[in-house]
């Protein structure tokens, strides 16, 4: 009898504990809104000015605000009936551009870094995004507006790395994904607002202290695609393609590109990325060119605290009826110390080489820190 009493008592206790836990879970809503404020300080010795100054290469000195909102109903249900909005994200930066040694060149710029809606579907590994984001061309590394200091061959080829458009991703088999995107061809590549309070009389010619930038659409467009292994694997590979109409004036052109990308990771210690592509650039008012682009990135992780990295992006242009090759290249070497998930200190060496207007080199110190949830 005593054993039966203990057994019944134990079962009742377990029932009430389980009921209370379920009740608590039902009342507790998951966090679905995230705010994050981040700043980047990037200064050092620059060869173009031969003095200590704000960096003119890599991430600008800027303050960035990020906001992410996830669909709370979707989080609670855990499944998608057909198509559903999964998240909204936005990211803006306030850039500080100029020289510490001459206030007349100092400019503040408000820039859009990321803005759009992500949608999930009931189909396996199928989703799409509408808005302003990094251009998806294989594993070409994005330039994060604050943290990363990585060379990017898209910037050398197109002149921009982010654009307004629609991207789509789906699984075509257990081993391969297909991804495609269509963009406006650099419509919002520039700043939204520019403020230059200390311009001299000569600099003010045709320019206001406070300007709203009015983007002019020139019927440009850009399409990208990739077929290859899914992301987040230890070994990734794929075939990539790009076509479009970009640029204005003497730079207006139609372009086609085909190539491949590969990524190799060894646990959390080593990462190697490589991407190569080539194709024709058909200019409107000058000779066409056959272009070849190559990018290699290597990262070593030392106890998840120190990171050694090197990144090189180079573009070779071979104009028709000319015996010369136009070369544009960026080399970046970095040594990073991860203070915390929110704070990173980095020593950078960069070298811009080839036929670049801002051909220079520098050794810079970079401090990135943030506050909030992301």
């Amino acid at each position: 009898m005593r054993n039966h009493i203990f057994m019944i008592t134990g079962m009742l206790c377990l029932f009430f504990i389980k009921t209370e836990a379920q009740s608590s879970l039902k009342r507790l809503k998951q966090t679905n809104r995230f705010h994050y404020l981040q700043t980047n300080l990037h200064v050092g010795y620059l060869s173009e000015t031969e003095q200590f100054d704000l960096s003119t290469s890599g991430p600008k000195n800027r303050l960035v605000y990020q906001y992410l909102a996830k669909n709370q109903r979707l989080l609670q249900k855990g499944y998608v009936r057909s198509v559903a909005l999964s998240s909204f994200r936005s990211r803006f930066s306030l850039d500080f551009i100029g020289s510490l040694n001459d206030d007349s060149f100092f400019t503040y710029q408000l820039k859009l870094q990321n803005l759009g809606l992500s949608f999930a579907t009931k189909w396996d590994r199928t989703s799409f995004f509408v808005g302003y984001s990094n251009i998806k061309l294989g594993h070409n590394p994005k330039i994060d507006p604050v943290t990363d200091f990585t060379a990017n061959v898209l910037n050398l080829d197109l002149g921009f790395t982010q654009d307004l458009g629609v991207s789509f991703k789906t699984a075509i088999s257990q081993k391969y994904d297909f991804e495609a995107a269509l963009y406006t061809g650099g419509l919002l590549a520039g700043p939204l607002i520019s403020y230059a309070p200390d311009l001299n009389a000569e600099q003010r010619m045709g320019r206001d202290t406070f300007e709203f930038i009015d983007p002019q659409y020139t019927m440009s467009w850009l399409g990208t695609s990739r077929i290859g292994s899914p992301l987040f694997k230890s070994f990734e590979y794929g075939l990539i393609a790009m076509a479009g109409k970009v640029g204005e004036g003497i730079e207006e052109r139609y372009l086609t590109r085909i190539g491949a990308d590969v990524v190799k990771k060894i646990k959390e210690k080593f990462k190697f990325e490589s991407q190569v592509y080539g194709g024709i650039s058909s200019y409107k008012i000058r000779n066409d060119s056959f272009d070849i682009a190559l990018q290699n990135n290597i990262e070593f992780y030392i106890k998840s605290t120190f990171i050694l990295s090197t990144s090189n992006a180079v573009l070779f242009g071979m104009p028709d009826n000319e015996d010369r090759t136009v070369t544009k290249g960026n080399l970046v070497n970095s040594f990073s110390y991860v203070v915390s998930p929110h704070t990173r200190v980095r020593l950078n060496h960069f070298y811009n080489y080839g036929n670049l207007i801002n051909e220079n080199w520098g050794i810079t110190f970079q401090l990135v820190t943030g506050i909030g949830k992301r």
Side-chain angles (χ1 to χ4, degrees):
M1 184 66 177
R2 182 178 298 178
N3 292 337
H4 285 81
I5 293 176
F6 282 130
M7 184 179 298
I8 294 172
T9 303
M11 292 176 65
L12 288 173
C13 290
L14 183 61
F15 172 77
F16 285 122
I17 292 173
K18 184 175 180 180
T19 302
E20 178 62 25
Q22 290 176 342
S23 177
S24 299
L25 287 174
K26 288 181 180 179
R27 294 194 191 102
L28 183 63
K29 293 184 178 180
Q30 294 173 285
T31 303
N32 70 316
R33 296 183 181 182
F34 305 87
H35 302 268
Y36 198 72
L37 192 64
Q38 197 172 33
T39 185
N40 176 74
L41 173 66
H42 197 193
V43 297
Y45 176 82
L46 311 177
S47 64
E48 61 180 344
T49 60
E50 297 184 345
Q51 57 189 356
F52 182 86
D53 209 340
L54 301 179
S55 178
T56 57
S57 187
K60 296 179 176 63
N61 287 271
R62 58 181 25 155
L63 185 67
V64 177
Y65 170 71
Q66 304 176 48
Y67 173 71
L68 171 64
K70 295 184 178 181
N71 187 333
Q72 192 171 74
R73 180 176 297 180
L74 186 61
L75 291 174
Q76 292 175 335
K77 289 197 306 183
Y79 70 95
V80 178
R81 181 174 296 177
S82 55
V83 177
L85 173 67
S86 59
S87 66
F88 165 78
R89 64 182 67 237
S90 64
R91 179 185 291 174
F92 294 86
S93 71
L94 179 62
D95 297 357
F96 308 95
I97 303 172
S99 172
L100 296 174
N101 304 287
D102 189 350
D103 292 341
S104 65
F105 287 96
F106 216 85
T107 303
Y108 304 89
Q109 293 183 348
L110 179 66
K111 294 193 68 176
L112 178 62
Q113 300 290 345
N114 196 308
L115 179 68
L117 303 171
S118 296
F119 294 85
T121 73
K122 67 177 182 179
W123 298 280
D124 185 36
R125 302 195 333 248
T126 299
S127 61
F128 61 95
F129 175 86
V130 179
Y132 187 83
S133 66
N134 294 292
I135 295 173
K136 298 182 183 300
L137 181 64
H139 289 282
N140 188 60
K142 64 182 180 181
I143 297 181
D144 188 274
V146 178
T147 305
D148 292 335
F149 188 9
T150 305
N152 195 309
V153 74
L154 271 180
N155 194 43
L156 298 175
D157 190 9
L158 302 176
F160 56 93
T161 61
Q162 297 169 312
D163 203 2
L164 180 68
V166 179
S167 61
F168 171 77
K169 183 177 181 180
T170 188
I172 57 177
S173 72
Q174 290 185 346
K175 294 184 177 180
Y176 297 104
D177 283 352
F178 172 73
E179 188 170 11
L182 182 63
Y183 302 100
T184 59
L187 178 63
L188 300 178
L192 302 176
I193 301 174
S194 177
Y195 175 60
D198 299 313
L199 295 176
N200 56 41
E202 183 178 351
Q203 293 168 334
R204 288 187 185 278
M205 295 296 294
R207 183 179 177 185
D208 297 328
T209 300
F210 193 88
E211 293 181 318
F212 287 93
I213 308 302
D214 183 18
Q216 301 293 325
Y217 184 54
T218 59
M219 302 305 292
S220 57
W221 58 276
L222 185 72
T224 65
S225 63
R226 178 184 186 269
I227 296 178
S229 58
L231 303 179
F232 311 114
K233 289 183 174 292
S234 61
F235 181 65
E236 305 167 7
Y237 56 91
L239 299 176
I240 57 177
M242 178 169 62
K245 174 184 176 291
V246 297
E248 296 182 62
I250 193 173
E251 295 298 327
E252 184 177 340
R253 57 179 167 148
Y254 287 92
L255 59 85
T256 57
R257 303 284 188 264
I258 57 172
D261 62 66
V262 63
V263 177
K264 176 61 179 176
K265 308 170 192 173
I266 300 178
K267 297 182 179 179
E268 298 296 327
K269 298 181 179 180
F270 174 82
K271 182 179 181 181
F272 170 75
E273 296 177 301
S274 184
Q275 178 171 293
V276 60
Y277 64 77
I280 302 294
S281 292
S282 299
Y283 289 89
K284 185 176 181 180
I285 55 177
R286 62 187 176 98
N287 289 342
D288 295 347
S289 175
F290 180 75
D291 302 324
I292 297 177
L294 174 66
Q295 172 136 11
N296 291 314
N297 304 309
I298 299 175
E299 292 183 345
F300 292 97
Y301 300 87
I302 306 172
K303 295 183 178 180
S304 301
T305 303
F306 298 97
I307 303 173
L308 284 171
S309 63
T310 182
S311 177
N312 184 52
V314 60
L315 178 70
F316 301 101
M318 290 162 275
D320 291 350
N321 304 320
E322 296 184 30
D323 295 329
R324 64 189 181 96
T325 298
V326 179
T327 303
K328 299 178 182 180
N330 299 131
L331 173 66
V332 176
N333 302 303
S334 296
F335 175 71
S336 304
Y337 172 56
V338 181
V339 181
S340 73
H342 298 280
T343 303
R344 179 172 298 188
V345 178
R346 178 181 285 136
L347 184 65
N348 300 310
H349 164 263
F350 71 86
Y351 176 45
N352 300 323
Y353 59 92
N355 304 94
L356 291 173
I357 297 177
N358 62 334
E359 179 177 352
N360 55 68
W361 64 272
I363 297 177
T364 61
F365 170 80
Q366 182 184 2
L367 171 64
V368 181
T369 188
I371 184 172
K373 291 183 177 182
R374 54 178 172 173

